[in-house]
């Protein structure tokens, strides 16, 4: 018998293994780093229950196996239990990504009975409530209640916290909070600068000194805490010189369906110009995945330009993130400017230098908090910010 | 993983019935033509031999039984060492219940 792992690679493109069902953009919170599109309020008209049930069936038939229910706050939909039950029946591994707002004992039990496999609970310091968050008061009470429900239902305890300039100095408090809540895994995810976080980049981007200190503290906590909790610390890609292989490759693994039924290779891809993404109301999942222009455009490497086209690393990172290329280089087919071979890398360096300058005043601007009114006002900002 | 666990996994006891951990779900995926282990937001795709071993780790078969079944279906003898090594690795990955089915 041969060595156990890994299995031979799947044909390209393989099936859409990961289905992210963004069931609603509604959310009671106002995070300044929210990953929903800035103009989310324009995309109302949520898919009905029957549409989602059909999408689940089609995706499963196309080979999807992990299903994440996210939003917005997915608990805002009162048919969530129905969707989870169908996903479970179809053989999906079901994940709920939630802030915990709206989860009570009754719903937790209903979700358990529906076959929900896992809840990822976010510490959503909406930044407006940073002090409250850090002083463990209201947020802590809520998370404690939800953590108790997660434990009572036998789900693994996975916590996530978005890290940024305003809370990065308190990673140790955040880790201790996660431990106190009984988390087995904690993901400290540095904010990525898309959507609302891009609007607030000046205020949210940590300095290099902050980042290095946080990394050191995380390592010390890992030593101190040993097996009690596994901590993942995701460094912001602005501090790297090579981009990440965004979404594990465009159209290779991930399929996102937005609240209004638009199918995307990644939850921010909607911002890209000149690309029509299909809607699950008009096309079935298999045709969307294998046959649509939106999904095929940036598959493989035929679309690449220099310096990526002749780069020895192009298989490794696929030229990075298309959205970041659009936002910073003004061309979705350019190299991700995080790469130091990109002619636009200077913009990333400048943002990092600014954030690291002790005299930097940009951080004093007021934050723009996500809410529907702001979203309508700012509908055009994200597009006009491109190339800036 | 502490020292004790490692010592334990290094020598699977005769008569033990390995069992896939309740933290993972093992299932056959038609689209991938393979067995996969599912866990929160993740998946391990197993090759044929790993899948054939793990699907027998249901807490009712001893290691000897598993080896016997595999030797029969693969038309091979002397698989004990390979299977044992895989079981060790699987325990270290925490794919198997720690100490499940131990006498
Ligand atoms: S990031 Fe915050 S505001 Fe945005 S959907 Fe999540 S919880 Fe709601
Ligand atoms: S040049 Fe393009 S392919 Fe090469 S490392 Fe940079 S982004 Fe990746």
């Amino acid at each position: 018998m041969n060595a156990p792992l890994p299995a031979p690679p799947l044909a390209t493109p393989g099936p859409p293994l990961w289905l992210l069902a963004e069931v609603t953009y509604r959310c009671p919170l106002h995070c300044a780093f929210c990953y929903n599109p800035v103009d989310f309020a324009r995309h109302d008209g949520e898919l009905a229950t029957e549409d989602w049930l059909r999408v689940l069936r089609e995706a499963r038939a196309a080979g999807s196996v992990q299903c994440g229910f996210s939003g917005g706050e997915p608990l805002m939909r009162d048919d969530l239990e129905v969707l989870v039950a169908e996903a479970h029946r179809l053989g999906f591994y079901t994940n709920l990504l939630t802030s915990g707002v709206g989860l009570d004992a009754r719903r937790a039990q209903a979700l358990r009975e529906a076959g929900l496999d896992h809840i990822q609970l976010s510490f959503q310091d909406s930044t407006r409530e940073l002090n409250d968050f850090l002083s463990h008061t209201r947020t802590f009470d809520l998370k404690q209640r939800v953590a108790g429900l997660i434990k009572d239902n036998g789900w693994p305890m996975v916590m996530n916290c978005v890290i940024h300039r305003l809370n990065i100095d308190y990673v140790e408090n955040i880790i201790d909070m996660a431990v106190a809540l009984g988390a087995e895994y904690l993901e400290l995810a540095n904010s990525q600068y898309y959507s609302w976080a891009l609007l607030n980049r000046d205020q949210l981007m940590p300095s290099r000194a902050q980042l290095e200190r946080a990394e050191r503290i995380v390592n010390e906590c890992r030593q101190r805490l040993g097996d009690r909790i596994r901590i993942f610390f995701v460094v912001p890609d602005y501090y790297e010189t090579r981009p990440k292989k965004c979404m594990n490759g465009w159209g290779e693994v991930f399929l996102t369906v937005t609240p209004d039924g638009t199918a995307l290779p990644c939850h921010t891809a909607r911002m890209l110009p000149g690309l029509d993404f299909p809607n699950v109301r008009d096309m079935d999942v298999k045709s969307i995945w294998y046959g649509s222009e939106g999904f095929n455009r940036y598959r493989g490497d035929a679309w690449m330009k220099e310096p990526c086209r002749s780069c020895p690393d192009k298989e490794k990172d696929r030229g990075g993130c298309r959205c970041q290329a659009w936002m910073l280089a003004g061309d979705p087919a350019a190299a991700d400017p995080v790469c130091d071979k990109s002619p636009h890398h200077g913009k990333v360096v400048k943002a990092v230098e600014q954030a690291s300058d002790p005299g930097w005043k940009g951080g004093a601007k007021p934050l723009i908090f996500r809410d529907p009114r702001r979203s309508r006002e700012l509908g055009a900002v994200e597009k006009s910010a491109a190339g800036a | 993983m502490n020292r004790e666990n490692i010592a334990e996994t290094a020598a699977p006891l005769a008569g033990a019935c390995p069992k896939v951990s309740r933290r993972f779900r093992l299932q056959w995926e038609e689209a991938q033509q393979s067995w996969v282990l599912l866990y929160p937001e993740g998946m391990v795709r197993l090759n044929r031999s790993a899948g054939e071993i793990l699907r027998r780790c249901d807490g009712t078969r001893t290691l000897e039984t598993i080896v016997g079944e595999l030797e029969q279906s693969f038309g091979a003898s002397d698989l004990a060492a390979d299977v044992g090594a895989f079981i060790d690795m699987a325990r270290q990955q925490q794919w198997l219940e720690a100490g499940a089915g131990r006498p």
Side-chain angles (χ1 to χ4, degrees):
Chain A
M1 282 164 107
N2 39 349
L5 285 169
L10 294 162
T12 315
L17 297 175
W18 238 111
L19 172 68
L20 186 68
E22 288 188 324
V23 290
T24 182
Y25 282 144
R26 286 174 287 147
C27 183
L29 302 183
H30 308 278
C31 302
F33 46 76
C34 181
Y35 42 80
N36 285 163
V38 171
D39 63 354
F40 72 86
R42 282 207 324 218
H43 309 288
D44 43 11
E46 291 182 3
L47 291 181
T49 310
E50 309 79 69
D51 297 323
W52 278 115
L53 294 175
R54 181 175 48 77
V55 168
L56 290 170
R57 285 192 287 268
E58 290 175 0
R60 183 70 185 127
S64 297
V65 59
Q66 283 282 352
C67 178
F69 291 95
S70 92
E73 172 49 66
L75 289 161
M76 297 292 282
R77 278 194 73 128
D78 52 19
D79 59 357
L80 185 63
E81 290 81 348
V82 178
L83 305 183
V84 169
E86 180 66 0
H88 176 74
R89 190 189 67 77
L90 292 163
F92 275 107
Y93 193 92
T94 51
N95 307 273
L96 174 63
L97 288 71
T98 177
S99 66
V101 177
L103 193 67
D104 55 17
R106 186 186 54 82
R107 287 204 87 179
Q109 197 198 337
L111 287 164
R112 174 85 250 174
E113 283 161 9
L116 183 67
D117 290 298
H118 155 239
I119 292 183
Q120 186 208 84
L121 177 62
S122 301
F123 286 120
Q124 234 87 15
D125 79 287
S126 83
T127 317
R128 197 179 261 167
E129 291 98 17
L130 185 70
N131 289 326
D132 162 55
F133 168 71
L134 292 169
S135 65
H136 298 198
T137 53
R138 244 176 50 217
T139 307
F140 191 71
D141 291 345
L142 167 75
K143 303 298 171 186
Q144 196 164 37
R145 209 159 14 89
V146 174
L149 291 172
I150 292 176
K151 290 246 132 136
D152 292 348
N153 284 282
W155 284 306
M157 268 286 273
V158 181
M159 299 201 128
N160 169 285
C161 183
V162 174
I163 299 295
H164 48 74
R165 189 181 184 95
L166 304 171
N167 67 11
I168 192 168
D169 293 334
Y170 307 98
V171 278
E172 190 157 10
N173 305 40
I174 295 168
I175 292 168
D176 287 341
M177 200 186 315
V179 171
L181 293 171
E184 289 147 314
Y185 302 87
L186 171 65
E187 186 182 79
L188 298 167
N190 274 278
S191 179
Q192 304 278 351
Y193 299 105
Y194 304 92
S195 306
W196 297 84
L198 181 64
L199 294 177
N200 291 309
R201 191 179 72 187
D202 287 347
Q203 300 95 306
L204 292 180
M205 187 136 109
S207 71
R208 194 174 284 281
Q210 281 184 301
L211 187 67
E212 282 166 2
R213 179 173 171 276
E215 274 188 292
R216 200 183 62 236
I217 290 173
V218 168
N219 281 328
E220 284 164 12
C221 289
R222 285 190 180 123
Q223 297 263 317
R224 167 164 69 82
L225 296 163
D227 283 347
R228 281 174 67 194
I229 187 164
R230 286 190 66 187
I231 308 170
F232 303 91
F233 186 75
V234 188
V235 176
D237 63 357
Y238 271 51
Y239 285 85
E240 314 269 13
T241 49
R242 286 291 179 272
K244 59 188 162 32
K245 186 179 182 188
C246 195
M247 304 315 286
N248 237 324
W250 176 280
E252 283 181 38
V253 179
F254 285 93
L255 168 67
T256 296
V257 179
T258 65
D260 66 355
T262 307
L264 302 172
C266 127
H267 58 282
T268 58
R270 188 173 217 159
M271 71 167 83
L272 297 175
L275 256 189
D276 260 345
F277 289 104
N279 193 294
V280 296
R281 298 184 213 252
D282 315 319
M283 223 172 163
D284 68 272
V285 167
K286 222 175 226 155
S287 318
I288 285 173
W289 184 254
Y290 292 102
S292 71
E293 155 69 2
F295 278 77
N296 282 325
R297 173 76 71 90
Y298 299 113
R299 278 193 171 123
D301 57 16
W303 54 271
M304 283 184 183
K305 299 180 176 175
E306 292 299 345
C308 297
R309 183 178 279 276
S310 59
C311 176
D313 286 331
K314 68 180 177 186
E315 278 314 302
K316 208 157 74 197
D317 62 41
R318 292 287 164 84
C321 170
R322 297 305 89 226
C323 298
Q324 203 142 264
W326 161 239
M327 292 184 296
L328 301 179
D331 176 3
D336 183 336
V338 160
C339 180
D340 65 7
K341 296 186 190 177
S342 156
H344 298 273
H345 183 62
K347 289 177 189 164
V348 171
V349 172
K350 184 161 160 252
V352 168
E353 277 171 1
Q354 260 182 355
S356 303
D357 174 357
W360 170 234
K361 292 284 182 294
K365 279 194 300 190
L367 284 163
I368 298 172
F369 294 102
R370 167 219 150 107
D371 72 41
R373 190 182 52 81
R374 281 304 240 162
S375 170
R376 279 186 292 271
E377 285 168 16
L378 289 165
V381 167
E382 201 169 63
K383 291 211 158 87
S384 63
Chain B
M1 186 176 276
N2 62 36
R3 206 174 285 263
E4 216 172 67
N5 285 341
I6 291 169
E8 228 177 40
T9 58
L13 296 177
C17 295
K19 185 167 190 282
V20 171
S21 161
R22 91 201 76 160
R23 301 213 158 281
F24 291 90
R25 193 162 90 211
L26 179 72
Q27 75 186 30
W28 173 255
E29 278 301 295
E30 199 56 36
Q32 301 177 58
Q33 287 297 302
S34 42
W35 290 89
V36 299
L37 275 175
L38 299 168
Y39 57 96
E41 298 174 59
M43 178 184 82
V44 181
R45 199 168 147 244
L46 302 162
N47 71 9
R48 175 149 178 254
S49 44
E52 290 303 320
I53 298 171
L54 277 185
R55 77 189 182 93
R56 289 174 169 81
C57 295
D58 58 2
T60 70
R61 295 165 161 92
T62 62
L63 194 56
E64 293 69 33
T65 312
I66 294 172
V67 170
E69 285 186 21
L70 290 166
E71 287 177 344
Q72 206 168 24
S73 55
F74 281 79
S77 54
D78 65 24
L79 291 182
D82 285 346
V83 177
F86 175 80
I87 297 281
D88 282 351
M89 190 278 291
R91 278 199 201 285
Q92 277 167 36
Q93 300 285 333
Q94 304 182 349
W95 295 346
L96 297 173
E97 293 289 353
R102 281 171 190 280

